[in-house]
Amino acid sequence: MRMMKVAIVDDEEDIRQSIGQWLALSGFDTETFACAEDALKVIGPDWPGVVISDIRMPGMDGMAFLKRLMGLDSGLPVIMITGHGDVPMAVEAMRLGAMDFMEKPFNPDRMTELAKRATQARRMTLDARALRRDLGEGTAVMGKLIGTSPQMERLREDVLDIAQSDGHVLIDGETGTGKTLVAHALHAAGTRAGKKFVTVSCAAFTEEALAERLFGPVAEGGGLPLVEEARGGTLVLEDIEALSCGLQARLLTLLNEQGTPAETRIVAICNAHGEGRMLEDLLRPDLYFRLAAHKLTLPPLRARGEDVLTLFTRMAEQFADDYGCDAPQVSAQEAAQLLQAPWPGNVRQLINVAERAVLQARRGQGSIASLLMAESDDLGTAMTTEGKPLKEYVESFEKMLIDNTMRRHKGSIAAVMEELCLPRRTLNEKMAKYGLSRGDYT
């Protein structure tokens, strides 16, 4: 657990020392500053601590200091020190983002309690940011939830939020949308990350075999029943709709016996999406509502916009590395075709197309369009409809082209300018427009 700092900013040395000594005796790591300007040399975004600052100081006063801090990091807890006549100003400071305020002469116990609350809040904020950074950088399993569409941004946020709770989860969505991957992400981002992650398909066994596999007793040498193997961790039940009435009753009994919070988290995955059946009708109501304490419905690929191009590019690059060849270059027409394709198999289908595109390119034959046509009889119609405005296709292609080139040249602006025949100012403007940063490629 990271140690939180407490920055004490006050122009009066005796106040700085008294606050610092009291909080140090209370177990806090303190650092004192005689003015706001000195503190700003140390405090920046994601600074691992909180700030206690006087309001009335020469030079930059506490209000101006607070505004600067909120501009640097709006999640930074700031506690203001006020004189008797400064209470209205302190209230205004809280409106601007301060966490709380203390009046002089302040109660040491209240000061300690405020510092404790502030450091706890800061730790939670920084931990949540670290998880979100893992998502963006691909440094954990959550990083495989690729995409910048609003649907994927929301999904990642939901995964991070739900991962911190103990409630059971129901995941729904079309085939190939990544439901099992999301189950992994929920486990990896939560407090059970170091515990067992066990998965089983309810449709892969007969009722008798599944009952034994889940609840035991298992045959000699067959290991523990899955509910025991997953104890304290996560048990993923894929194809939950295939669970028989008898096994639903046994599962409900297990959930009731676990109590709250649940010792073992159940993540149920439904694969009956789009077949005219509602999961509420396939499971007994009491079990359904226990499993659906949290519910996630994954978006289909065709609704995720330019994520299609991002995913295709990433997958093609990975397969090109595996096969020791160059990734296929996607033309503007092919980019539009990828965006317009219906993708009934979603991400799983796109991965297959990307691999075949790499194999075709290695042989110097075929096209992405031919692969898409082979994938779906309905694609011809889908690809000749009006779809999105031309401007959106052009922008999606342009963003993909710059992203690919930056990735290939590892962020070398000069090399990208030369290959794309773009002046620096134009390249900078387009990168800003599409949210691309050189630091992501170096």
Side-chain angles (χ1 to χ4, degrees):
M1 182 178 292
R2 73 179 84 193
M3 184 68 170
M4 293 287 108
K5 293 179 177 292
V6 179
I8 303 160
V9 187
D10 198 303
D11 61 304
E12 297 183 46
E13 184 177 0
D14 58 338
I15 293 181
R16 290 199 308 273
Q17 289 182 347
S18 63
I19 295 176
Q21 288 172 0
W22 178 261
L23 291 179
L25 289 172
S26 300
F28 292 93
D29 182 9
T30 62
E31 192 169 358
T32 60
F33 302 92
C35 63
E37 291 84 353
D38 287 347
L40 286 170
K41 294 176 183 177
V42 176
I43 300 170
D46 292 330
W47 187 70
V50 303
V51 177
I52 298 176
S53 173
D54 194 9
I55 283 186
R56 295 192 180 275
M57 296 185 292
M60 182 184 295
D61 66 13
M63 298 297 283
F65 181 41
L66 173 64
K67 291 177 182 177
R68 287 283 300 274
L69 291 175
M70 292 298 99
L72 287 170
D73 188 337
S74 61
L76 178 65
V78 180
I79 300 168
M80 308 302 292
I81 302 172
T82 72
H84 178 68
D86 295 333
V87 173
M89 194 179 297
V91 173
E92 173 65 12
M94 291 182 68
R95 188 187 68 81
L96 293 174
M99 177 180 173
D100 213 324
F101 66 92
M102 301 183 297
E103 285 189 79
K104 298 177 184 177
F106 30 76
N107 182 312
D109 292 330
R110 171 170 162 76
M111 179 173 59
T112 302
E113 179 60 28
L114 284 177
K116 181 179 178 181
R117 280 172 40 207
T119 53
Q120 287 175 342
R122 185 58 170 168
R123 182 176 289 111
M124 290 177 65
T125 296
L126 295 181
D127 287 348
R129 286 180 185 173
L131 286 174
R132 284 164 172 77
R133 198 169 293 122
D134 282 346
L135 281 172
E137 295 172 357
T139 56
V141 65
M142 292 87 72
K144 296 180 181 179
L145 299 176
I146 298 169
T148 57
S149 63
Q151 294 91 333
M152 290 304 293
E153 295 282 3
R154 174 62 183 273
L155 177 62
R156 286 193 291 265
E157 293 290 333
D158 287 344
V159 166
L160 287 173
D161 290 340
I162 295 172
Q164 301 306 305
S165 78
D166 287 307
H168 305 302
V169 186
L170 178 62
I171 304 176
D172 188 18
E174 294 182 10
T175 182
T177 48
K179 296 186 287 292
T180 303
L181 177 60
V182 168
H184 276 276
L186 286 166
H187 179 79
T191 56
R192 303 171 190 265
K195 305 292 180 62
K196 281 278 192 174
F197 180 86
V198 179
T199 180
V200 63
S201 170
C202 299
F205 302 90
T206 65
E207 180 178 359
E208 183 179 349
L210 182 60
E212 180 180 327
R213 190 83 181 90
L214 281 173
F215 304 105
V218 295
E220 186 175 350
L224 291 172
L226 295 184
V227 294
E228 290 297 327
E229 185 181 346
R231 186 178 293 277
T234 301
L235 175 60
V236 180
L237 300 176
E238 295 186 343
D239 306 296
I240 188 68
E241 68 277 5
L243 210 60
S244 69
C245 293
L247 290 182
Q248 288 184 41
R250 292 189 67 175
L251 178 60
L252 181 63
T253 299
L254 172 71
L255 298 182
N256 290 333
E257 289 174 348
Q258 285 197 87
T260 304
E263 182 180 15
T264 302
R265 167 176 259 184
I266 304 295
V267 178
I269 295 177
C270 171
N271 285 307
H273 190 96
E275 298 178 13
R277 297 182 293 171
M278 299 292 289
L279 188 58
E280 295 93 321
D281 301 326
L282 298 173
L283 296 179
R284 49 188 293 169
D286 44 5
L287 177 61
Y288 171 81
F289 288 111
R290 288 297 299 273
L291 294 175
H294 301 288
K295 187 174 180 181
L296 290 172
T297 298
L298 273 54
L301 183 58
R302 60 183 173 277
R304 291 172 51 187
E306 65 184 44
D307 282 357
V308 172
L309 298 182
T310 303
L311 283 163
F312 183 85
T313 300
R314 297 278 183 92
M315 295 300 106
E317 288 176 348
Q318 288 181 19
F319 284 122
D321 286 342
D322 291 343
Y323 290 116
C325 61
D326 293 330
Q329 297 299 305
V330 181
S331 68
Q333 181 181 7
E334 288 172 329
Q337 291 166 344
L338 287 167
L339 288 167
Q340 285 181 292
W343 298 112
N346 293 289
V347 177
R348 189 177 298 138
Q349 180 188 6
L350 180 141
I351 292 172
N352 294 338
V353 171
E355 182 176 17
R356 292 203 294 274
V358 169
L359 292 173
Q360 280 189 164
R362 187 174 66 166
R363 296 193 302 269
Q365 62 185 40
S367 67
I368 293 173
S370 64
L371 290 174
L372 292 173
M373 293 295 291
E375 283 287 310
S376 173
D377 294 335
D378 299 328
L379 190 57
T381 303
M383 290 168 58
T384 55
T385 56
E386 291 183 9
K388 298 189 299 182
L390 177 62
K391 180 175 181 291
E392 292 188 30
Y393 286 120
V394 172
E395 290 179 346
S396 296
F397 174 70
E398 195 171 59
K399 177 182 177 181
M400 180 197 70
L401 190 62
I402 295 173
D403 177 63
N404 287 353
T405 310
M406 288 290 291
R407 194 180 306 279
R408 192 163 56 253
H409 292 295
K410 296 181 171 57
S412 170
I413 296 294
V416 174
M417 288 166 53
E418 181 179 359
E419 180 171 332
L420 299 182
C421 300
L422 287 175
R424 179 181 291 271
R425 179 177 177 180
T426 302
L427 178 59
N428 289 340
E429 288 175 349
K430 290 186 180 297
M431 289 182 66
K433 175 181 178 181
Y434 299 129
L436 303 176
S437 172
R438 180 177 177 274
D440 295 334
Y441 305 96
T442 54

